[in-house]
C-alpha cells in the first residue's frame, strides 16, 4: 500500500516523523478483542506474513508478503496493521537510544564530508540535500508517541493511495476482500505535492579529492546535474545509459583498471542526477579518469556519430524494457516503483514504443544537455598522493575534502 506522503511533507512537523511513524507501527497483539474477533486475529497473525515499510521523499510504502495460499489474510493483516496498529513505548525508547548514540558519536569524516561536498556541487551549496544530516538525531530523540500517532492519523488516507496485490489469487474474491477491508476508510484529502527546492548548482566542472588515508582502491564518482525528465525523456535516457556503460567497459576489459563502473540516473524531488560510480586501481587511477572523461566528452559532443554504439545501446535498453517480469515479488516491486514515479502500469508499453522510435539525434540532444561540463562534478576518494596524481593526468588541480 503506497501512500503519497513522505519525508518532504514534514514541513511543520517534527523532522524524522515520516520515517519513524512507518518504521515503528506495530500490530496490536496485546489489545482486548471481542470473542468473535480474537480467533481471526490469532489465525491471521500465524500465517507467516512478513511486514515491512519504506519511506522516501514523496511516498510511504507498507508491504505484507507471504505464501499465496494465504493471500487474503496477508491483505487483511496489512489493513489490520494500519487500522489497529500502535506505537510501543519500548520501540520508541530504542529509537531514542539510537538517536542519542548517534549524537554522541564523533562526526564521521571522509564519506560524509565527501558526499556532502559532491551534493553541494550537484544541487547547490545552500540546498537541503547538501546540509549536514546529524541534526536529525536531536529531532528523533524528541519524538513522542503522540507525534507518531498524529502523523499516521493525518497522513495515511485512502485518497491518493495505491494498493498493489500481486501473486496467485482469485481476482473476484480478492476484489471483494479489498472492498470489505478498505472500502469504509474515510477518504480525506490527498496531500499536496511536497515543495522541494529545485537544484541550483554553481557552474562547473568541479573537481573534488576526498582524502582517504587507509584506502586501497580509488573510488571514482562522476556526477551530472541532469536537465532531462524521467518520463518524457525516459527512452533516450535508457539508450544513453546503455551507450555510456558499453563504452566505459573499456576500463575493465581494455586496461583492467576497474571491475566496472555503474551508470544510472537518480531522480529526486529537487531534480535528477546522472551518476557514474566505481572503484579503480590506484596505479591506474589517472588513466581510468582520463578514459572516462574522454568517453563522456565523445558522447556529449557528437553522440549522433556513434551509430554502432547507438544500435547496441538501444537494443540493450529495449531488451531490458521488454523482459518479462515473473514472480509476485518482482512484479509488486516494479509496480511500486512505477507508483512512486507517478506513472501507471501502461508506462511499460509506452516506454517500449518510445524506445523503438528513438533516433540517434534524440539521444545526441539529451547527451549534450545531461553531460554538460558546466554541470559536472568529479570526485575521487583515495589517498592524497593517488588523487593528486590522477587529477594531474587530466591537467586539473582538485579541491581537497578532508
Amino acid at each position: 500500500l503506497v501512500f503519497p506522503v513522505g519525508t518532504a511533507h514534514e514541513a511543520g512537523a517534527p523532522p524524522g516523523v515520516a520515517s519513524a511513524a512507518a518504521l515503528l507501527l506495530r500490530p496490536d497483539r496485546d489489545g482486548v478483542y471481542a470473542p468473535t474477533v480474537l480467533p481471526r486475529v490469532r489465525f491471521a497473525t500465524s500465517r507467516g506474513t512478513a511486514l515491512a515499510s519504506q519511506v522516501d521523499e514523496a511516498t510511504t510504502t507498507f508491504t505484507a508478503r507471504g505464501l499465496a495460499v494465504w493471500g487474503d489474510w496477508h491483505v487483511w493483516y496489512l489493513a489490520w496493521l494500519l487500522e489497529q496498529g500502535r506505537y510501543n513505548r519500548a520501540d520508541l525508547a530504542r529509537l531514542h537510544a539510537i538517536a542519542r548514540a548517534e549524537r554522541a558519536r564523533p562526526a564521521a569524516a571522509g564519506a560524509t564530508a565527501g558526499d556532502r561536498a559532491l551534493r553541494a556541487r550537484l544541487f547547490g551549496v545552500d540546498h537541503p540535500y547538501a546540509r549536514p544530516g546529524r541534526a536529525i538525531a536531536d529531532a528523533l530523540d524528541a519524538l513522542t508517541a503522540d507525534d507518531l500517532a498524529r502523523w499516521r492519523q493525518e497522513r495515511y488516507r485512502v485518497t491518493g493511495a495505491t494498493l498493489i496485490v500481486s501473486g496467485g489469487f482469485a481476482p473476484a474474491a480478492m476484489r471483494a476482500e479489498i472492498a470489505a477491508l478498505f472500502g469504509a476508510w474515510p477518504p480525506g484529502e490527498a496531500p499536496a505535492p511536497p515543495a522541494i527546492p529545485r537544484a541550483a548548482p554553481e557552474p562547473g566542472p568541479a573537481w573534488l579529492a576526498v582524502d582517504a588515508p587507509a584506502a586501497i582502491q580509488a573510488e571514482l564518482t562522476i556526477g551530472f546535474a541532469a536537465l532531462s525528465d524521467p518520463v518524457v525523456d525516459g527512452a533516450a535516457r535508457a539508450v544513453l545509459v546503455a551507450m555510456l556503460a558499453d563504452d566505459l567497459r573499456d576500463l575493465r576489459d581494455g586496461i583492467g583498471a576497474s571491475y566496472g563502473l555503474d551508470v544510472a540516473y537518480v531522480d529526486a524531488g529537487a531534480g535528477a542526477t546522472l551518476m557514474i560510480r566505481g572503484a579503480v586501481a590506484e596505479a591506474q587511477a589517472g588513466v581510468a579518469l582520463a578514459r572516462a572523461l574522454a568517453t563522456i566528452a565523445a558522447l556529449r559532443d557528437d553522440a549522433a556519430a556513434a551509430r554502432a554504439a547507438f544500435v547496441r545501446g538501444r537494443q540493450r535498453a529495449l531488451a531490458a524494457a521488454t523482459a518479462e517480469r515473473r514472480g509476485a515479488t518482482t512484479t509488486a516491486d516494479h509496480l511500486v516503483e512505477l507508483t512512486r514515479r507517478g506513472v501507471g502500469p501502461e508506462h511499460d508499453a509506452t516506454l517500449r514504443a518510445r524506445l523503438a522510435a528513438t533516433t540517434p539525434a534524440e539521444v545526441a540532444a539529451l547527451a549534450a544537455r545531461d553531460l554538460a561540463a558546466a554541470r559536472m562534478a568529479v570526485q575521487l576518494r583515495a589517498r592524497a598522493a593517488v588523487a593528486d596524481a590522477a587529477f594531474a593526468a587530466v591537467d586539473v588541480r582538485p579541491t581537497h575534502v578532508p
Side-chain angles (χ1 to χ4, degrees):
L1 183 58
V2 184
F3 292 104
V5 60
T7 57
H9 292 87
E10 288 180 342
V17 67
S19 297
L23 176 67
L24 299 184
L25 186 60
R26 296 284 187 268
D28 188 1
R29 298 175 181 271
D30 301 322
V32 178
Y33 298 98
T36 56
V37 176
L38 187 57
R40 176 178 295 184
V41 172
R42 287 174 174 168
F43 184 85
T45 56
S46 62
R47 300 305 95 190
T49 306
L51 297 174
S53 64
Q54 184 176 354
V55 181
D56 59 22
E57 279 188 310
T59 63
T60 296
T61 304
F62 288 94
T63 304
R65 286 178 172 154
L67 292 175
V69 67
W70 305 117
D72 52 346
W73 288 104
H74 302 318
V75 177
W76 184 92
Y77 203 163
L78 180 62
W80 182 61
L81 168 71
L82 293 165
E83 285 186 343
Q84 305 293 334
R86 68 177 188 177
Y87 297 105
N88 298 322
R89 286 192 296 269
D91 291 336
L92 195 56
R94 280 192 289 270
L95 178 67
H96 291 163
I98 293 171
R100 286 192 292 271
E102 176 65 20
R103 192 171 55 210
R105 188 170 60 89
T112 300
D115 292 344
R116 192 164 62 246
L118 182 64
R119 290 194 297 269
R121 298 310 306 243
L122 293 175
F123 294 99
V125 175
D126 296 324
H127 196 276
Y129 290 0
R131 294 173 188 162
R134 290 178 60 82
I136 192 67
D138 295 328
L140 290 177
D141 193 19
L143 279 178
T144 67
D146 288 341
D147 293 329
L148 304 179
R150 188 179 307 110
W151 180 268
R152 167 193 174 189
Q153 180 68 27
E154 295 175 354
R155 304 291 183 168
Y156 297 167
R157 301 293 184 87
V158 70
T159 303
T162 301
L163 180 65
I164 296 165
V165 183
S166 173
F169 54 82
M174 184 59 75
R175 289 192 184 96
E177 179 78 1
I178 291 170
L181 292 171
F182 297 97
W185 277 30
E189 295 183 2
I196 303 174
R198 299 298 296 174
E202 296 180 4
W207 311 93
L208 305 171
V210 180
D211 296 336
I216 58 175
Q217 286 184 309
E219 294 285 342
L220 175 62
T221 301
I222 304 175
F224 296 88
L227 299 174
S228 59
D229 182 90
V231 177
V232 175
D233 300 308
R237 274 184 169 198
V239 177
L240 178 60
V241 166
M243 292 172 68
L244 277 167
D246 194 30
D247 289 349
L248 289 170
R249 286 175 56 195
D250 181 61
L251 271 68
R252 173 176 178 164
D253 299 346
I255 61 175
S258 172
Y259 285 117
L261 300 182
D262 294 325
V263 184
Y265 277 93
V266 180
D267 293 297
T273 54
L274 175 55
M275 306 300 295
I276 301 170
R277 292 189 174 106
V280 297
E282 286 187 335
Q284 295 173 287
V287 175
L289 177 58
R291 291 280 186 97
L293 293 176
T295 296
I296 292 167
L299 288 176
R300 177 181 61 230
D301 298 339
D302 195 8
R307 293 303 181 99
F310 167 80
V311 171
R312 291 193 302 270
R314 190 172 67 170
Q315 285 178 337
R316 290 181 180 177
L318 189 55
T322 307
E324 183 180 0
R325 293 177 177 84
R326 295 200 171 219
T329 299
T330 300
T331 300
D333 288 346
H334 178 64
L335 292 173
V336 167
E337 179 59 28
L338 293 181
T339 302
R340 287 174 178 157
R341 291 163 55 189
V343 297
E346 71 282 352
H347 173 74
D348 290 340
T350 302
L351 177 61
R352 289 192 292 269
R354 287 178 175 173
L355 279 168
T358 299
T359 66
E362 290 172 336
V363 176
L366 178 76
R369 296 197 313 271
D370 281 0
L371 297 179
R375 301 174 72 85
M376 178 177 74
V378 178
Q379 176 182 281
L380 195 65
R381 190 190 309 275
R383 293 182 294 125
V386 172
D388 286 339
F391 281 113
V394 293
D395 297 322
V396 298
R397 296 185 64 180
T399 298
H400 279 267
V401 180

